[in-house]
Amino acid sequence: MEIFGRLTIDSLPFYSAIAASGAAVTMLGALSVMALITYFGAWRLVLFDWVSSLDHKKIGIMYIMIALVMLLRGFIDAAMMRSQQAIAYNNDGYLPPGHFDQIFTSHGTIMIFFMAMPFLSGLINLIMPQQIGARDVAFPFMNSVNLWLTAAGAGLVLISLVIGQFSTAGWTGYPPYSGAEYNPGVGVDYWLWAVLISGVGSTMSGINFLVTIIKCRAPGMYLFRMPLFTWTVFVTSILMIFAFPALTVACGMLALDRTFGMHFFTNAMGGNMMNYINLFWLWGHPEVYILILPAFGVFSEVVATFSQKRLFGYISLVLATVAIGLLSFTVWLHHFFTMGSSANVNAFFGIMTTIIAVPTGVKVFDWLLTMYRGRIIFKPPMLFTIGFLVTFVIGGLSGVLLAMPPVDYLLHNTTFLIAHFHNMIIPGVLFGYLAGYMFWFPKAFGFKLNEKWGAWSFWCWIIGFYIAFMPLYVLGLMGMPRRMEHYDVAAWQMHLIIAAVGAFIIFLGIVCLGVQLALSIRDRQQALDLTGDPWNGRSLEWATSSPPAPYNFAVLPKVRSVDAFWDMKQRGVAYHQPDRYVDLVLPKNSFIGAFIGGAGFVFGFAMVWYMWWLAVLCLAAIALAVIVRASDDDTDYVMLASDVKEIEDARCAELAKAPRNEMADDPGFAGEPVLEASA
Amino acid sequence: MTATTTMDATPISHEKYEERAFGFWIYLMSDAIIFALLFATYVVMLGNTAGGPTGKELFSLERAAGETALLLLSSATFGFAAVALANADKSRSLLWLLVTVALGAGFLFLEFREFRGMIAQGAGPDRSGFLSAFFTLVGTHGVHVSIGILGIFVIIGQVLIKGLTTPVVSRLARLGLFWHFLDIIWVAIFSVVYLPGLF
Amino acid sequence: MIVRLALPYRLQRVASAFGLVLLCSGCGALTSPDLDPSGPVTLAERLLLFDAVSIMMIVVVPVFIMTALFTWRYRGTNRNARYTPNFAYYWPVEILVWGVPAAIIVWLGFHLWEGTHRLDPYKAIDQGVEALRVEAVAQDWKWLFIYPEQNIAVVNELVFPSGTPLALRITSDTVMNSFVIPALGGQIYAMAGMQTRLHLLADKPGRFMGRNVQYSGRGFADQQFDAIATFSKEDFEAWAAKVKASLDTLDAATYEQLAKPSAKVPVTYYSGVEPNLFDKIIAKWRRGDEIDPSAPLPANGNRRMRNSGDLR
């Protein structure tokens, strides 16, 4: 048994300049981060305040950091694809053979698993417990483990640039192409372990969020008083718990095929590739609803706050969310209408797919009606929302088209499909999370983001989106397949050049996001959020300070209606200080979560390179870590009432200095809430 | 979540244990889905023997019955341990836990013998799709049982060192859920894999 | 605020950018195989697409109008518009937003059901003329077409008479592929050890692009073939005779060579074909052996599927 398994010096990326540059950039990135931390003398802070933190707010912020970094990496993949396709008419383009295939695979894998999933996990972590009046999630330690398992998966994708190669089987990894016979190298194994390891984290996150919502709500926070964002999180959690096991089974079986020579999905010996496709999409379809429902939740919050009006159709929105959640398990076959099912089967799934458009349409109209007779303030989150409303319905239209099997027979696996799902994910998922990021940034850090650059980022994103993806609809109708490294149809090239221009404009949008962040940090003293309520908000997360105290609420709020915080402001009890504080129990920091994540990363690496001794060692280390934690009865500490009082008094002092309503200076401010006559 | 004062010996409130039990049930549901999909895969691949041996040729009703008896009995003994726990009888609960481990280990021993025999006669998981599905379904259950046995050892350690404190008892309760859940899965395996496989 | 002042101008710029893009895009699209079909299947599929787009406008257009209208009229600085901050429920609206999309979906559902059955790839096309049977095998990275009745085989060229239905049996000798000729009709996967079917018809003569659209490896981008509908049956017979004059034959050994990975393979003609080659390729994967010319076909293949490995 070799110590290094199948790892050799040839695994280093010196076979092509592009691969070597990718590796260099990755290494440089990692080293610069470490250098920066050293320069600022921040190792103590990073390790003892953040890496080992079990605070849901810090974990949420770290998730979002992963998401933003991976957004950049995934975008670079996109830029390379667009530029390759723009020039590769009747020639091989500038990418060496096989590169394009790795790039489209890593683009999809990164964007879904390591950009969108961490983004939503981060926003949920940061905000949901505050929205229900809780002090933390139900299982803070598990929260930390899940974060670091996600980081481990991302790490595996990143290190595949430096050692070895990545998969060329697409983000869906269909066998038998992804099997050992046709792809014996390490690429698919990197993909498998990245997905499997982070998938475990996602399943457990779902459990964590669900138990938090069911068990940890403040007194009076009945289910039908929860904000819409929390409702969407509730349904999303259920989807995560029920869907991710299917991914674990599908990818687990593929891993067994590849590593131990089993025959789940091989061509011969009794394998059946159709099983993989069913299992994968049993997960895959609920997954896209996992991605979009929290974004819908963000839009609900943003549209109500920036229309200065109650959210229209609360019950409808809740019912629609639940309906979408249930229906999402009944449509998975529409991802493979062309696999040869009977007309009855195809038609059934096609009809179920069109049915799911109904609750989604209801939501769009309810949001529009929230704007109706409101007073709209065009802060960047609201811009993203309006852009979403217009653009998303086009994607919905193309989705209904694809839901019809005969139409799908023509358009499946063409760029029309690519345009459709990007039309759902970019205006839907990404705009939602960027809106959430800008909306809740002050809550997380205590100062506001630069609005001018936020607006410019929005315009670049939306204009870039249209220019990049509308040509892909056209190309799909012209018969262009997806995943084409080069082509010989002259008529396609112009559209691909236009699409590349669109990608460049999106790049400018990303630059604007970076500039926005840099300038905001530089100018933070001029944009402080002193009250904790920068947007005259309606839900409980705005009741805490910005950033909140570790315990969120010194006294758990007593909820009396939907839009709980708005109701409290109207009754004049929003910032009421109690006579007496009590001791609070909070979780101690722990490095075990990061340790388990690190061991998970090394385990994945070991499995990829067939270093069995190392894999077994890592499993043992993880088991040991779990046992140590499970035997530890001293995992919490008590914050004394006097310390709580100190923090709360400091906050009151800041409140006294701050304007009563931070939105009062805005020309569009409507003057609400008006205090009821005080008792 | 109510705060507790510094006078409380166990800083974790009662609600926390409730949440943990509830969360563990939810986890078991997600595990049930994994098993459901493994069962579905097995059933779909029943005929994919690729010219190799079928269940009829490989399964032994005696051994399956023996495994069933051992596992079901171990669930009963775990229950006895739980009863002893409720009566705060430390030594009795430890005894029954050890018996449970022995029975579980016996189950694993029989299963290991079965797998080894099948592999030796060329009917390993790499022989056909049917056998891949069989080994994965039954093997995943076996891995769960192994983890359960490890968990029982950990709990035994905790009982010896810390005594029957609230956190230890709550962990034991969750472990019991896990153990009984594996029992149910085994009943399904016996009914879906071994019984039909022999007819 | 810069943001709000610039909004109307920005909206104009967005609209014109959008329109320009659509205009440029539209040019190529109109003559594309999907929108200018050459066969009744694609024609029917296109019709379904147009119908669906039209009816969805009932939902899409109001969304555009409402967004534009509300964004303008209810902007915060416009004090002329009514402001009803607590207007959060109105049951007639609920009935409308649930009911109208539901009605559209019901209408669509009928068309979907009927269309899916009518345009089932497995459904033979009845033209009063007997269909031409062709067997297609996906390989890395080319297509092999076997004409069992003419006892010829061709690589990367599919010729058939216009006006005659084409009955394809499709399989793969490698990873999953997906067969499509966009101008003529829809798509179906090609999978090893299994057989799928596709029925197509070309109304008029022409040369169409056909290809694999399921990524299958290095040579995927070049995995296309020419689908040629001849003017008349006589032209087709003439072509078949030309193929029959070829010196190459496709016996088991030649087939093994052909099946090896290669890309950009030129059109190749084979004048004789190994008997039951297509079924043997399928049986090979079911059995796990090499193709053995002398081996009998399995009498009862897999107990779940018929002899030919047909999916249904």
Side-chain angles (χ1 to χ4, degrees):
Chain A
M1 198 187 303
E2 294 253 331
I3 292 188
F4 288 109
R6 51 179 176 166
L7 181 60
T8 65
I9 201 79
D10 293 324
S11 315
L12 289 173
F14 296 128
Y15 54 87
S16 99
I18 296 212
S21 337
V25 168
T26 307
M27 296 298 294
L28 224 71
L31 287 169
S32 347
V33 169
M34 294 202 280
L36 264 172
I37 300 178
T38 314
Y39 175 75
F40 284 112
W43 279 109
R44 267 208 92 76
L45 178 79
V46 165
L47 288 175
F48 289 93
D49 267 359
W50 286 84
V51 169
S52 57
S53 172
L54 299 193
D55 182 343
H56 68 97
K57 302 179 284 294
K58 294 213 166 101
I59 290 178
I61 291 172
M62 287 188 278
Y63 264 119
I64 298 177
M65 285 175 171
I66 294 179
L68 291 174
V69 168
M70 297 307 267
L71 175 67
L72 192 60
R73 161 72 212 274
F75 175 77
I76 293 174
D77 286 337
M80 291 175 82
M81 283 194 282
R82 281 285 130 256
S83 44
Q84 162 78 4
Q85 287 195 328
I87 65 180
Y89 162 59
N90 263 346
N91 64 69
D92 283 335
Y94 72 95
L95 286 174
H99 260 37
F100 183 82
D101 312 330
Q102 284 183 61
I103 288 173
F104 69 67
T105 305
S106 73
H107 172 75
T109 307
I110 286 177
M111 288 305 200
I112 303 253
F113 291 103
F114 302 110
M115 190 281 289
M117 290 297 294
F119 217 148
L120 69 91
S121 301
L123 288 173
I124 294 175
N125 256 306
L126 182 65
I127 297 300
M128 180 271 285
Q130 295 183 63
Q131 280 200 340
I132 59 174
R135 294 214 165 97
D136 204 327
V137 291
F139 309 117
F141 173 72
M142 195 163 85
N143 210 8
S144 168
V145 171
N146 298 339
L147 167 71
W148 293 109
L149 286 178
T150 304
L156 283 170
V157 174
L158 289 174
I159 204 153
S160 73
L161 265 184
V162 181
I163 307 179
Q165 299 194 350
F166 198 63
S167 167
T168 59
W171 81 278
T172 50
Y174 278 11
Y177 180 77
S178 58
E181 190 189 340
Y182 295 99
N183 247 298
V186 295
V188 178
D189 293 305
Y190 264 124
W191 176 80
L192 274 175
W193 290 108
V195 165
L196 279 170
I197 292 172
S198 61
V200 169
S202 298
T203 313
M204 297 204 291
S205 278
I207 298 176
N208 210 347
F209 297 150
L210 183 69
V211 178
T212 307
I213 293 177
I214 292 185
K215 293 287 186 183
C216 302
R217 283 168 282 134
M221 179 58 85
Y222 307 137
L223 283 177
F224 277 89
R225 286 181 182 168
M226 297 195 308
L228 241 304
F229 179 69
T230 302
W231 266 109
T232 59
V233 172
F234 182 58
V235 175
T236 301
S237 319
I238 296 175
L239 293 183
M240 282 162 99
I241 297 167
F242 277 85
F244 268 87
L247 181 71
T248 306
V249 170
C251 290
M253 288 176 175
L254 185 58
L256 287 171
D257 268 9
R258 289 180 60 82
T259 316
F260 298 114
M262 296 204 196
H263 293 291
F264 284 105
F265 311 124
T266 53
N267 268 344
M269 304 292 273
N272 192 338
M273 67 193 86
M274 299 194 287
N275 287 340
Y276 177 89
I277 291 174
N278 272 284
L279 285 169
F280 182 85
W281 287 112
L282 250 170
W283 164 82
H285 198 83
E287 165 67 5
V288 309
Y289 289 100
I290 292 171
L291 294 184
I292 197 110
L293 284 178
F296 284 171
V298 172
F299 289 131
S300 296
E301 305 295 342
V302 167
V303 82
T305 306
F306 289 125
S307 301
Q308 304 188 79
K309 188 161 162 282
R310 267 186 71 183
L311 185 63
F312 188 91
Y314 177 91
I315 304 248
S316 251
L317 283 168
V318 170
L319 286 177
T321 308
V322 173
I324 291 174
L326 286 169
L327 287 169
S328 71
F329 281 101
T330 62
V331 301
W332 79 92
L333 196 130
H334 70 229
H335 297 272
F336 47 95
F337 279 138
T338 55
M339 200 160 77
S341 309
S342 72
N344 282 343
V345 171
N346 275 352
F348 169 78
F349 279 96
I351 290 178
M352 294 311 294
T353 309
T354 55
I355 292 178
I356 217 174
V358 175
T360 314
V362 167
K363 282 180 161 258
V364 170
F365 285 115
D366 279 337
W367 291 319
L368 282 169
L369 288 166
T370 307
M371 291 162 64
Y372 175 73
R373 295 199 177 156
R375 287 265 162 88
I376 304 175
I377 296 185
F378 296 99
K379 301 256 183 225
M382 191 63 186
L383 292 177
F384 278 109
T385 305
I386 297 173
F388 151 77
L389 287 170
V390 171
T391 318
F392 187 76
V393 291
I394 301 176
L397 170 60
S398 62
V400 168
L401 292 178
L402 289 168
M404 312 188 70
V407 178
D408 186 73
Y409 298 153
L410 275 178
L411 298 173
H412 178 57
N413 273 339
T414 63
T415 57
F416 189 95
L417 175 64
I418 307 278
H420 161 71
F421 63 70
H422 282 88
N423 205 155
M424 305 305 264
I425 293 187
I426 295 183
V429 176
L430 188 62
F431 280 15
Y433 296 150
L434 289 177
Y437 161 73
M438 295 187 191
F439 189 54
W440 283 313
F441 186 94
K443 175 58 54 183
F445 292 106
F447 59 95
K448 289 178 262 208
L449 282 170
N450 183 303
E451 283 174 20
K452 187 174 72 172
W453 284 94
W456 281 351
S457 162
F458 161 72
W459 287 112
C460 289
W461 268 102
I462 196 167
I463 294 176
F465 166 78
Y466 276 105
I467 299 181
F469 287 99
M470 292 300 133
L472 292 187
Y473 277 123
V474 174
L475 282 169
L477 288 167
M478 292 167 79
M480 177 176 176
R482 66 192 293 195
R483 299 174 172 167
M484 292 284 274
E485 194 208 14
H486 56 264
Y487 52 94
D488 62 1
V489 179
W492 293 351
Q493 187 172 30
M494 179 187 65
H495 302 275
L496 289 166
I497 293 176
I498 297 175
V501 170
F504 177 72
I505 298 177
I506 292 180
F507 167 69
L508 295 178
I510 296 182
V511 168
C512 289
L513 284 175
V515 172
Q516 179 193 41
L517 188 60
L519 287 183
S520 308
I521 295 177
R522 182 195 71 180
D523 299 334
R524 62 190 182 279
Q525 293 303 331
Q526 284 81 34
L528 289 175
D529 170 23
L530 292 168
T531 60
D533 181 18
W535 314 123
N536 197 18
R538 313 179 78 89
S539 40
L540 281 178
E541 77 268 28
W542 304 112
T544 58
S545 57
S546 289
Y551 46 78
N552 299 341
F553 302 95
V555 177
L556 293 178
K558 290 183 183 46
V559 174
R560 292 228 308 216
S561 102
V562 78
D563 281 352
F565 183 53
W566 188 262
D567 173 66
M568 284 161 68
K569 284 194 281 192
Q570 275 190 311
R571 288 185 288 127
V573 299
Y575 301 109
H576 175 70
Q577 265 203 304
D579 320 310
R580 231 177 24 96
Y581 290 103
V582 290
D583 292 342
L584 299 175
V585 178
L586 296 169
K588 281 194 216 169
N589 282 7
S590 168
F591 280 104
I592 298 185
F595 177 80
I596 291 179
F601 170 74
V602 179
F603 171 76
F605 188 83
M607 291 302 287
V608 167
W609 293 102
Y610 295 174
M611 302 198 298
W612 310 123
W613 62 272
L614 187 56
V616 170
L617 200 68
C618 289
L619 282 181
I622 293 175
L624 201 68
V626 171
I627 292 174
V628 163
R629 176 72 187 191
S631 309
D632 187 353
D633 289 324
D634 187 21
T635 56
D636 295 335
Y637 73 97
V638 175
M639 183 182 273
L640 296 172
S642 49
D643 294 326
V644 174
K645 180 163 161 56
E646 214 177 292
I647 297 174
E648 293 300 301
D649 285 343
R651 191 204 176 183
C652 276
E654 273 204 347
L655 274 170
K657 280 189 294 184
R660 203 67 189 116
N661 197 322
E662 288 190 50
M663 290 287 281
D665 285 336
D666 195 294
F669 178 57
E672 302 278 319
V674 176
L675 284 182
E676 288 177 9
S678 37
Chain B
M1 231 147 325
T2 52
T4 59
T5 68
T6 44
M7 292 184 290
D8 203 309
T10 48
I12 304 176
S13 65
H14 168 71
E15 279 109 356
K16 260 273 173 259
Y17 292 118
E18 236 253 46
E19 283 159 28
R20 287 180 186 178
F22 180 66
F24 198 77
W25 273 104
I26 306 283
Y27 154 70
L28 285 180
M29 280 166 57
S30 75
D31 223 12
I33 293 177
I34 291 187
F35 277 109
L37 293 172
L38 290 175
F39 273 108
T41 303
Y42 175 82
V43 168
V44 164
M45 295 186 95
L46 261 181
N48 295 17
T49 47
T54 64
K56 198 167 167 136
E57 295 156 31
L58 293 166
F59 302 154
S60 144
L61 191 57
E62 293 81 24
R63 185 167 48 213
E67 289 168 334
T68 309
L70 286 170
L71 205 62
L72 260 54
L73 220 66
S74 75
S75 248
T77 56
F78 200 112
F80 298 151
V83 169
L85 213 73
N87 295 330
D89 190 338
K90 190 159 120 178
S91 46
R92 229 200 172 80
S93 67
L94 280 175
L95 174 72
W96 283 118
L97 282 176
L98 281 167
V99 173
T100 309
V101 167
L103 291 169
F107 168 88
L108 284 179
F109 175 68
L110 283 180
E111 194 156 273
F112 178 72
R113 277 252 299 262
E114 176 188 19
F115 282 8
R116 201 179 61 170
M118 284 169 73
I119 294 174
Q121 57 174 188
D126 53 351
R127 174 64 188 84
S128 68
F130 161 72
L131 284 166
S132 302
F134 167 79
F135 272 89
T136 304
L137 170 60
V138 181
T140 301
H141 175 267
V143 167
H144 277 74
V145 172
S146 314
I147 293 176
I149 290 180
L150 180 65
I152 298 180
F153 275 125
V154 172
I155 288 291
I156 290 177
Q158 290 192 7
V159 171
L160 283 173
I161 296 175
K162 302 175 194 246
L164 297 177
T165 60
T166 319
V168 172
V169 169
S170 90
R171 282 180 206 126
L172 190 75
R174 276 173 265 143
L175 187 61
L177 284 176
F178 188 67
W179 197 258
H180 298 310
F181 169 75
L182 290 177
D183 225 29
I184 298 175
I185 299 293
W186 177 258
V187 168
I189 289 179
F190 186 75
S191 315
V192 172
V193 175
Y194 290 102
L195 275 183
L198 292 166
F199 298 105
Chain C
M1 286 275 304
I2 295 176
V3 162
R4 283 179 302 105
L5 282 177
L7 200 63
Y9 298 111
R10 297 294 176 89
L11 271 173
Q12 282 174 23
R13 294 234 289 274
V14 171
S16 31
F18 185 21
L20 212 66
V21 165
L22 271 185
L23 214 64
C24 292
S25 306
C27 304
L30 291 174
T31 51
S32 72
D34 287 8
L35 297 184
D36 182 25
S38 305
V41 178
T42 303
L43 186 67
E45 289 165 349
R46 180 186 80 164
L47 210 64
L48 212 51
L49 187 143
F50 287 160
D51 283 345
V53 171
S54 319
I55 200 165
M56 287 296 291
M57 289 298 122
I58 299 178
V59 170
V60 172
V61 170
V63 170
F64 289 159
I65 294 178
M66 284 165 81
T67 310
L69 218 66
F70 295 171
T71 310
W72 177 249
R73 182 165 176 72
Y74 298 108
R75 65 195 187 285
T77 42
N78 181 17
R79 302 300 184 183
N80 295 328
R82 271 183 68 178
Y83 175 46
T84 56
N86 294 313
F87 175 58
Y89 182 71
Y90 190 49
W91 67 263
V93 154
E94 295 294 341
I95 298 196
L96 210 67
V97 298
W98 283 98
V100 170
I104 294 177
I105 292 311
V106 168
W107 183 94
L108 219 53
F110 278 116
H111 280 248
L112 194 158
W113 184 270
E114 186 272 330
T116 305
H117 281 82
R118 180 165 38 94
L119 296 166
D120 183 2
Y122 276 63
K123 190 154 149 277
I125 298 177
D126 184 18
Q127 274 288 96
V129 183
E130 200 189 320
L132 174 68
R133 287 173 42 213
V134 178
E135 291 155 353
V137 181
Q139 301 178 322
D140 285 332
W141 286 280
K142 51 210 177 275
W143 288 93
L144 172 69
F145 298 105
I146 302 169
Y147 291 73
E149 283 156 352
Q150 288 79 9
N151 197 25
I152 54 178
V154 193
V155 173
N156 282 342
E157 190 175 79
L158 176 64
V159 180
F160 52 96
S162 59
T164 302
L166 191 59
L168 289 159
R169 291 206 292 156
I170 303 168
T171 189
S172 168
D173 198 11
T174 172
V175 300
M176 182 190 283
N177 278 239
S178 190
F179 179 97
V180 67
I181 306 173
L184 297 184
Q187 185 185 155
I188 196 123
Y189 283 172
M191 295 177 278
M194 295 180 255
Q195 168 193 285
T196 50
R197 292 180 192 262
L198 184 61
H199 291 85
L200 300 172
L201 172 69
D203 280 333
K204 40 194 190 222
R207 183 186 213 98
F208 316 111
M209 184 255 295
R211 58 165 306 120
N212 168 32
V213 288
Q214 173 67 35
Y215 176 78
S216 60
R218 279 293 172 88
F220 164 71
D222 297 312
Q223 195 177 352
Q224 54 197 48
F225 61 91
D226 280 325
I228 301 171
T230 62
F231 184 74
S232 64
K233 200 140 177 46
E234 290 70 40
D235 288 336
F236 171 72
E237 309 284 350
W239 172 83
K242 186 167 72 153
V243 176
K244 258 219 133 37
S246 160
L247 295 170
D248 301 313
T249 60
L250 193 60
D251 55 18
T254 316
Y255 179 81
E256 286 306 308
Q257 279 297 111
L258 181 65
K260 294 202 171 96
S262 56
K264 295 190 183 151
V265 176
V267 174
T268 317
Y269 294 153
Y270 297 99
S271 57
V273 187
E274 172 80 33
N276 294 312
L277 177 61
F278 185 80
D279 291 319
K280 284 181 177 155
I281 295 170
I282 293 181
K284 166 178 82 156
W285 289 109
R286 308 215 128 262
R287 221 180 22 234
D289 304 334
E290 295 295 309
I291 292 183
D292 179 3
S294 57
L297 291 172
N300 187 26
N302 177 298
R303 70 177 161 150
R304 274 175 205 287
M305 296 181 185
R306 296 201 300 277
N307 193 25
S308 58
D310 206 351
L311 275 187
R312 46 181 157 106

